[in-house]
């Protein structure tokens, strides 16, 4: 791999912040207000922040203790079983498959949010005027234009990355720096515009899709899945460990990225609730724009929208880079289809990049029949659940190292890592249970993972041939 594709500490940190503070920062204030009352939202943030901190410590620790295992948290699934066995190959593939599909959904969540904020300058993107009707299905003008915008952005990023990983990383760094500055400006404005009456009643019931009334605890459970989406991307530095200039940068970039993102997320989501009444916030397609407009008028609205577009452009670069890297690294460790190892002269995973964006294009079709906010909610649900299994597996693998004592020499560090692993496992289990409580959500999650079985067959057949050859040789 050429030196031009190596990533330093600050570029890794920018990838972590850029991927975490992406679509969520722009849309979550609305999603959270719909899921829970202000008290439930704050409780969900606190629990999620603590849980993700434990996961970040697990990721950072594994990156240092197992530097030879590269590609992200899903790779550790294969390490739970005997190396070279069918169980190791199958678990590694299925975990990588779910994580990869989750990443692709993440790309589309960012892109659809980009289209939502672009509508500030081009209101026609939200137009409900009929464009064409085919067999009872009516394509709206706004949906059609949103589909075109999303498609252009996806493939434009594709060609930017093909020019070089480091240059794409630098572009992402500039966009990340711009959005961090813009969001802190929003926080300052929000502190002066905050109205206590907008977050009252502080504790209030919510209703689910079936019309059932939800108390505070069920609200926290619902909001937890949404708040976890805010932290998806915390493992970005780990995924790019194979391209890091120094392995020691991985843990530092992960922790710093988490702290920066946490301050931005909690500050902005809480302030947005205080700048808009809850009813307005719940029905907003671009909540931050609507919030800032109440204070600074149309000019402030357009300035924030411009910062948002720069931010989302940079986030799209980071998400596409991350998504293409996942199956590429898994294939290098024989846990994914060999064709994903194909590189160009610059060491970029061209086949993985092409197929990743091709599948992303399929997800973009959700914008044809749904509103921007509806498409975002659907995609976030699928993506978040896909991430939970690899997060859980990473925690289990850390516990395995602690129990066996592998890579450990002293008991003090080992004991502390064990506590962190247990807390991370408890958190992951809790969110999995909360996220799959709804039968529809559970069904989507099962279908997502089950779809990988069809593509796993060639890999398993190859594994059987290797085992037969080894048996004959013995």
């Amino acid at each position: 791999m050429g030196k031009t594709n190596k990533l330093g500490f600050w570029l890794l940190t920018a990838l972590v912040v850029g991927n975490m503070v992406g679509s969520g920062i722009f849309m979550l204030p609305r999603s959270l207000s719909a899921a829970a009352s202000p008290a439930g939202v704050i409780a969900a943030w606190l629990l999620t922040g603590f849980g993700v901190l434990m996961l970040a410590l697990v990721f950072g620790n594994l990156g240092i203790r197992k530097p030879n295992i590269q590609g992200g948290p899903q790779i550790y699934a294969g390490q739970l079983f005997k190396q070279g066995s069918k169980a190791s190959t199958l678990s590694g593939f299925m975990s990588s498959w779910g994580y990869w599909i989750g990443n692709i959904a993440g790309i589309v969540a960012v892109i659809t949010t980009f289209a939502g904020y672009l509508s500030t300058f081009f209101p026609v993107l939200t137009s409900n005027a009929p464009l064409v009707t085919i067999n009872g299905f009516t394509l709206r003008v706004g949906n059609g234009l949103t589909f075109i915008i999303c498609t252009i952005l996806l493939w434009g990023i594709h060609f930017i990355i093909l020019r070089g990983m480091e240059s794409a990383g630098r572009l992402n760094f500039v966009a990340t720096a711009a959005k961090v500055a813009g969001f802190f400006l929003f926080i300052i404005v929000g502190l002066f515009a905050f109205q206590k009456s907008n977050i009252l009643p502080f504790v209030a019931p919510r209703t689910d899709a079936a019309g059932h009334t939800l108390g505070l605890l069920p609200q926290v459970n619902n909001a937890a899945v949404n708040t976890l989406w805010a932290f998806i991307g915390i493992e970005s530095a780990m995924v790019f460990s194979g391209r890091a200039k120094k392995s020691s940068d991985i843990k530092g970039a992960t922790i710093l990225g988490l702290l920066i993102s946490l301050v931005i997320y909690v500050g902005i989501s809480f302030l947005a609730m205080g700048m808009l009444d809850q009813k307005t916030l719940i029905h907003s397609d671009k909540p931050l724009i609507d919030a800032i407009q109440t204070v600074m008028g149309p000019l402030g609205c357009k300035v924030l929208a411009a910062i948002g577009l720069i931010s989302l452009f940079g986030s799209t670069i980071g998400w596409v880079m991350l998504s293409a890297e996942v199956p590429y690294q898994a294939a290098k460790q024989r846990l994914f289809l060999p064709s994903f190892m194909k590189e160009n002269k610059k060491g970029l995973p061209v086949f993985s990049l092409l197929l990743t964006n091709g599948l992303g294009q399929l997800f973009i079709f959700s914008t044809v029949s749904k509103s921007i906010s509806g498409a975002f909610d659907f995609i976030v649900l699928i993506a978040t659940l896909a991430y939970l299994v690899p997060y859980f597996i990473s925690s289990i693998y850390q516990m395995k190292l602690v129990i066996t004592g592998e890579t450990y020499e002293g008991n003090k560090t080992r004991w502390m890592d064990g506590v962190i692993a247990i807390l991370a496992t408890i958190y992951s289990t809790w969110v999995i249970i909360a996220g799959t409580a709804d039968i529809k959500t559970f069904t989507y999650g099962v279908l997502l993972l089950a779809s990988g079985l069809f593509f796993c067959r060639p890999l398993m057949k190859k594994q059987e041939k290797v085992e037969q050859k080894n048996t004959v040789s013995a």
Side-chain angles (χ1 to χ4, degrees), residues 185-198:
L185 176 62
F186 179 91
I187 290 174
I188 293 172
V189 173
L191 288 172
F192 290 97
F194 190 88
Q195 295 184 34
K196 185 179 178 180
S197 59
N198 285 333

Side-chain angles (χ1 to χ4, degrees), residues 289-302:
I289 296 296
D290 292 340
I292 205 73
Q293 189 169 13
T294 62
V295 183
M296 302 180 66
L299 179 60
C301 173
K302 293 185 183 300

Side-chain angles (χ1 to χ4, degrees), residues 51 60 62 64 67 144 148 153 205 216 221 293 299 303 322 392 426 460:
L62 290 176
I64 293 173
I148 294 172
L153 178 60
L216 184 60
N221 285 341
Q293 189 169 13
L299 179 60
V303 169
L322 183 72
F392 175 79
I426 292 173
M460 295 302 295

Side-chain angles (χ1 to χ4, degrees), residues 172-252:
N172 176 68
F173 177 84
V174 172
T176 299
K179 73 177 167 186
V180 169
F183 292 147
F184 275 111
L185 176 62
F186 179 91
I187 290 174
I188 293 172
V189 173
L191 288 172
F192 290 97
F194 190 88
Q195 295 184 34
K196 185 179 178 180
S197 59
N198 285 333
I199 62 171
L200 297 177
F202 195 62
V203 179
R206 288 289 189 271
T207 56
D208 60 15
H212 301 133
T213 301
L214 302 177
L216 184 60
L217 185 57
Q219 288 178 35
V220 174
N221 285 341
N222 287 345
V225 179
N226 287 302
T227 51
L228 178 60
W229 171 253
F231 296 105
I232 296 297
I234 184 64
E235 72 286 352
S236 297
M238 177 191 282
V239 173
F240 286 99
S241 58
R243 300 184 186 273
K245 291 181 179 179
K246 294 189 298 182
S247 59
S248 59
D249 288 340
I250 298 169
K251 186 172 185 178

Side-chain angles (χ1 to χ4, degrees), residues 404-428:
T404 61
E406 184 181 352
T407 74
Y408 287 93
E409 295 181 359
N411 288 327
K412 184 177 180 181
T413 303
R414 183 177 173 184
W415 179 85
M416 186 179 296
D417 288 348
V419 172
I420 291 172
I422 290 172
L423 292 173
T425 302
I426 292 173
Y427 169 73
S428 302

Side-chain angles (χ1 to χ4, degrees), residues 314-326:
S315 293
T316 306
I317 293 175
W319 273 101
V320 173
M321 288 171 62
L322 183 72
S323 303
E325 191 77 3
V326 167

